[in-house]
Amino acid sequence: MFDRSVLGPHQSEFLRQCWQKKPLLIRNAFPGGLDYVGGDELAGLAGQEGIESRLVIEHGPKSWETRHGPFEDDVWSTLPAKKWTILVQAVDRLLPDVSRLRDRFRFLPNWRVDDIMISYAVDQGGVGPHTDNYDVFLIQGQGRRRWEVGAEALKKPELEPELDMKILKLFEPVESFILEPGDMLYLPPGFAHNGVALGESITYSVGFRAPHQKELLLSYVQFCSQHEGDEIFYTDSGMPEQREPGLILPGELKRLRELMLAGLQDEQVFLKWIGGFLTEPRSFHEPLDQPISEKSLRAGLKKGRAVARAEGARFAFYPVGEKLHFAAEGECFVLDPGLTELVTLLCREQEYSAEDLLAHSEKLGFMELLCHLWNQSYVRWSDET
Ligand code: SIN
Ligand code: CO
């Protein structure tokens, strides 16, 4: 549907001057706004099991309430006329049109995209002044919203105590914009912001993730502990003869630390792990009960049927020496480099023509890979939902 970057010719200027550095308002980035969902549909999604949603109600100054979904149908009629909002995460994994919005942000790597959240607010609704740890493009889908933005990224923002959500104790906005349908505001991580709906408002947040150092370490260590490799234990031959038994010697501390760092520095293990980590999904697509056979897949392609990537599925690749690593939804495959062109296509597009796929079908490992992606529900016929 879209093959144009949302920033058009300004993409490189944006990356140089704004990305991770400063906010940017882009008027009319999506002419006419976006109308893939309305408040009722969003409330419907927020009622479903397995979909992450929140309802935020502002009861008065510094008095906020957050409830987590799924919500019963009758909750909406109990809410006040003003000052509440529903937020539904990862709608790009649910609705094809929202998933395709990601194509407009192809100038940023797949693995950095977190999700597209959509919020519906009644008049004056919002989630209060806060910071986020990620880059975000806030697109005004429908209605209007006033955004106020702070001057710089806050390192350690002070929060209101005793609230179950993160509201800034002090918010000193330096800029204020009223977003009309189709306008878009980019915010780097840490910039304080507050969006207040002016009448009913729908906002799409295209959020990016940046792994935290601790998250990387935790996942890597877990991977290492399951990964088959040499069993390396601490050794201390040449131990000094006379010592205080309670004392841990500086040399011992050094050896222990070196042992750990050597584990972290094994590049081969890192390369096996990182692709899966970076494409890990927020939620899982259910694998098929009935696996597809190579024969029926090939037959479908020969009939000209196109294949689609599952909504929001995260694919990425990287070369490692003579091999190609391809990661999909947290799984990493080591492939023949002859599949580079195919894998590039799988990662870039959301729909693949039979012709494009058949052009690779005789290549080593192609059918096996496609069947696996299929059986895991990462891809399917594009004419089937
Ligand atoms: C919203 O859509 O109401 C909140 C988005 C945000 O501030 O992160
Ligand atoms: Co925010």
Side-chain angles (χ1 to χ4, degrees), residues 319-339:
V320 176
E322 300 285 282
K323 292 286 182 192
L324 170 69
H325 284 216
F326 168 58
E329 296 280 271
E331 278 189 79
C332 198
F333 309 87
V334 180
L335 302 174
D336 188 89
L339 290 177

Side-chain angles (χ1 to χ4, degrees), residues 117 127-128 130-132 134 136 138 147 187 191 193 205:
M117 176 183 84
V127 298
H130 66 281
T131 58
D132 295 310
Y134 43 77
V136 64
L138 298 157
W147 285 100
L187 294 177
F191 274 74
H193 55 285
S205 303

